[in-house]
Amino acid sequence: MSLNRKNWKLSTQINHPEEVSLKEGNRPLIAPVVNSAKFVISEKHSLNEQFIYGRVGNPTLRQLELTLGEIQKKDECIVVSSGIGAITGTILGLLKSGDHMITFRELYKPSRVFIRDILPNYNISSTFLSLNNLSDLEKNIIQDKTRLIYFESPSNPNLQIADIPFLISIARKHNLIIVMDGTFGGLHQHTEFDLDIIIHSLTKFANGHGDVIAGSIAGKKDIVGKIKEMVMYLGAHLDPQATYLIQRGLKTYMLRYERQTETAQKMAEYLQKQPGVTKVYYPGLEIDLNYKTTKSHMKSFGSVISFEIDSKMFSTSEEFCQRLKLIQVAVSLGSTETIICPTLAFFGLDLSEVERKEMGINSHSFRLSIGIEDFDDLKNDLHQAFRVQY
Ligand SMILES: *Cc1c(COP(=O)(O)O)cnc(C)c1O
């Protein structure tokens, strides 16, 4: 500004603070958080080369989008205000009234509810299949109507693994867009698959500290472009401060993930041997039905374990949870602290009795998300909860 600041009155000075500019090359090693909702438009550049308004684009968000695109080996990535915002924005961005999509009942509950109960209000229909029975898939594709396959792998809460190469082959054959929610596996997994779009709840492993809600959409440039337009109109952009916390959380992503996975493997093996445990779902156990597929799909087995306790020993899941001292009852996953939640109450109440039974969700089933604490302390906590009965 060339004006003489000294002549301004106080209220003007306060509202136009002096600019602090950095010498060329003297950049901050950690990128600053750009909170500004608006950017001064420069005549030196065309409008589409510049940041204009925070809802449309912001350097702090762009930094995270570039980082996430690179980790996932995708051409383009956008970040939005939640994982569920990423899912709803993707579907609304890609489908229109009259379209049909195929999905699977093994879904995160809010995704299932959105597709099953809300999309019909906009004349978008869906067919729900099971990840365990893909032989029905082609039969359910409706000519000139079905546009999209949407699935989760590993699935919430019982870690079903989808046959991803098969799903992709069917999508290509019928010219459908294929979208996967890869949240449970983390960002560095499934990067080699030719998925059109991969969605993550960044609330989980990416942020890793349980203090931000956010989501990402990565994939092919033209498809992400369509979704970007929709999420912009939905107003689902992420706040720069929240964005920064994720960028910062990501620095320890691999360290956390390796530790969580290592502890999860030991914990699954421990649970497998417990007399009070009747079933363990963890794809890293060789006896797990998904072990082989997971090994071919994923670099490691992740940090979520599901298990069932003996109903003769504990009358309710709450009774078991109340005995735990260190492990707290809470939802979410991928954070530094270990948490547990009963699966029926949180993920199964919208399902029929038959669906619950087939999916292994009941009054004695749990989802355990492993953090980065010491394995022995976690094991001892579970052990004392089980031991009361022996
Ligand atoms: C948590 C979760 C979501 C939703 O993410 P939010 O960030 O909570 O909106 C979607 N899919 C899966 C598999 C999840 O675990």
PDB file of all heavy atoms in Angstrom, residues 21 49 56 151 217 254 263 265 276 377:
ATOM      1  N   SER A  21       6.143  -9.091   4.695  1.00  0.00           N
ATOM      2  CA  SER A  21       6.498  -9.928   3.544  1.00  0.00           C
ATOM      3  C   SER A  21       7.841 -10.604   3.795  1.00  0.00           C
ATOM      4  O   SER A  21       8.693 -10.071   4.513  1.00  0.00           O
ATOM      5  CB  SER A  21       6.522  -9.104   2.267  1.00  0.00           C
ATOM      6  OG  SER A  21       7.419  -8.037   2.421  1.00  0.00           O
ATOM      7  N   GLU A  49      -6.242 -18.613 -12.022  1.00  0.00           N
ATOM      8  CA  GLU A  49      -4.939 -18.992 -11.435  1.00  0.00           C
ATOM      9  C   GLU A  49      -4.824 -18.540  -9.982  1.00  0.00           C
ATOM     10  O   GLU A  49      -3.832 -18.816  -9.319  1.00  0.00           O
ATOM     11  CB  GLU A  49      -3.809 -18.295 -12.196  1.00  0.00           C
ATOM     12  CG  GLU A  49      -3.513 -18.848 -13.567  1.00  0.00           C
ATOM     13  CD  GLU A  49      -2.413 -18.031 -14.247  1.00  0.00           C
ATOM     14  OE1 GLU A  49      -2.322 -16.810 -14.004  1.00  0.00           O
ATOM     15  OE2 GLU A  49      -1.649 -18.631 -14.994  1.00  0.00           O
ATOM     16  N   VAL A  56     -14.106 -21.828  -2.064  1.00  0.00           N
ATOM     17  CA  VAL A  56     -13.757 -22.376  -3.378  1.00  0.00           C
ATOM     18  C   VAL A  56     -12.324 -22.917  -3.391  1.00  0.00           C
ATOM     19  O   VAL A  56     -12.016 -23.884  -4.097  1.00  0.00           O
ATOM     20  CB  VAL A  56     -13.940 -21.274  -4.454  1.00  0.00           C
ATOM     21  CG1 VAL A  56     -13.635 -21.803  -5.834  1.00  0.00           C
ATOM     22  CG2 VAL A  56     -15.352 -20.707  -4.376  1.00  0.00           C
ATOM     23  N   PHE A 151     -18.670 -49.218  -2.513  1.00  0.00           N
ATOM     24  CA  PHE A 151     -18.417 -50.242  -1.493  1.00  0.00           C
ATOM     25  C   PHE A 151     -17.362 -49.774  -0.502  1.00  0.00           C
ATOM     26  O   PHE A 151     -16.697 -48.755  -0.698  1.00  0.00           O
ATOM     27  CB  PHE A 151     -17.994 -51.562  -2.149  1.00  0.00           C
ATOM     28  CG  PHE A 151     -16.614 -51.517  -2.764  1.00  0.00           C
ATOM     29  CD1 PHE A 151     -15.536 -52.124  -2.121  1.00  0.00           C
ATOM     30  CD2 PHE A 151     -16.394 -50.877  -3.978  1.00  0.00           C
ATOM     31  CE1 PHE A 151     -14.257 -52.081  -2.681  1.00  0.00           C
ATOM     32  CE2 PHE A 151     -15.127 -50.836  -4.550  1.00  0.00           C
ATOM     33  CZ  PHE A 151     -14.060 -51.438  -3.890  1.00  0.00           C
ATOM     34  N   ILE A 217     -11.568 -36.958  -0.982  1.00  0.00           N
ATOM     35  CA  ILE A 217     -12.045 -37.633  -2.190  1.00  0.00           C
ATOM     36  C   ILE A 217     -10.884 -37.593  -3.173  1.00  0.00           C
ATOM     37  O   ILE A 217     -10.451 -36.507  -3.572  1.00  0.00           O
ATOM     38  CB  ILE A 217     -13.251 -36.865  -2.786  1.00  0.00           C
ATOM     39  CG1 ILE A 217     -14.380 -36.766  -1.756  1.00  0.00           C
ATOM     40  CG2 ILE A 217     -13.724 -37.508  -4.083  1.00  0.00           C
ATOM     41  CD1 ILE A 217     -15.366 -35.643  -2.020  1.00  0.00           C
ATOM     42  N   MET A 254       2.724 -42.867   9.479  1.00  0.00           N
ATOM     43  CA  MET A 254       3.303 -44.204   9.323  1.00  0.00           C
ATOM     44  C   MET A 254       3.741 -44.787  10.674  1.00  0.00           C
ATOM     45  O   MET A 254       3.567 -45.973  10.927  1.00  0.00           O
ATOM     46  CB  MET A 254       4.488 -44.202   8.339  1.00  0.00           C
ATOM     47  CG  MET A 254       4.100 -44.123   6.873  1.00  0.00           C
ATOM     48  SD  MET A 254       2.777 -45.223   6.293  1.00  0.00           S
ATOM     49  CE  MET A 254       3.422 -46.838   6.655  1.00  0.00           C
ATOM     50  N   THR A 263       0.305 -53.871  17.361  1.00  0.00           N
ATOM     51  CA  THR A 263      -0.437 -54.157  18.594  1.00  0.00           C
ATOM     52  C   THR A 263      -1.751 -54.892  18.280  1.00  0.00           C
ATOM     53  O   THR A 263      -2.140 -55.804  19.011  1.00  0.00           O
ATOM     54  CB  THR A 263      -0.730 -52.850  19.366  1.00  0.00           C
ATOM     55  OG1 THR A 263       0.497 -52.161  19.567  1.00  0.00           O
ATOM     56  CG2 THR A 263      -1.384 -53.111  20.709  1.00  0.00           C
ATOM     57  N   GLN A 265      -2.390 -56.954  15.864  1.00  0.00           N
ATOM     58  CA  GLN A 265      -2.115 -58.364  15.557  1.00  0.00           C
ATOM     59  C   GLN A 265      -1.962 -59.161  16.868  1.00  0.00           C
ATOM     60  O   GLN A 265      -2.571 -60.209  17.055  1.00  0.00           O
ATOM     61  CB  GLN A 265      -0.835 -58.459  14.707  1.00  0.00           C
ATOM     62  CG  GLN A 265      -0.444 -59.884  14.314  1.00  0.00           C
ATOM     63  CD  GLN A 265      -1.360 -60.459  13.224  1.00  0.00           C
ATOM     64  OE1 GLN A 265      -1.781 -59.748  12.320  1.00  0.00           O
ATOM     65  NE2 GLN A 265      -1.683 -61.743  13.333  1.00  0.00           N
ATOM     66  N   GLY A 276     -13.361 -66.410  27.241  1.00  0.00           N
ATOM     67  CA  GLY A 276     -14.567 -65.571  27.235  1.00  0.00           C
ATOM     68  C   GLY A 276     -14.934 -65.031  25.863  1.00  0.00           C
ATOM     69  O   GLY A 276     -15.943 -64.368  25.702  1.00  0.00           O
ATOM     70  N   ASP A 377      -0.295 -53.053  28.761  1.00  0.00           N
ATOM     71  CA  ASP A 377      -1.303 -52.329  29.540  1.00  0.00           C
ATOM     72  C   ASP A 377      -2.708 -52.568  28.972  1.00  0.00           C
ATOM     73  O   ASP A 377      -3.671 -52.744  29.718  1.00  0.00           O
ATOM     74  CB  ASP A 377      -1.002 -50.824  29.554  1.00  0.00           C
ATOM     75  CG  ASP A 377       0.224 -50.507  30.399  1.00  0.00           C
ATOM     76  OD1 ASP A 377       0.508 -51.281  31.345  1.00  0.00           O
ATOM     77  OD2 ASP A 377       0.907 -49.503  30.109  1.00  0.00           O
TER      78      ASP A 377
END
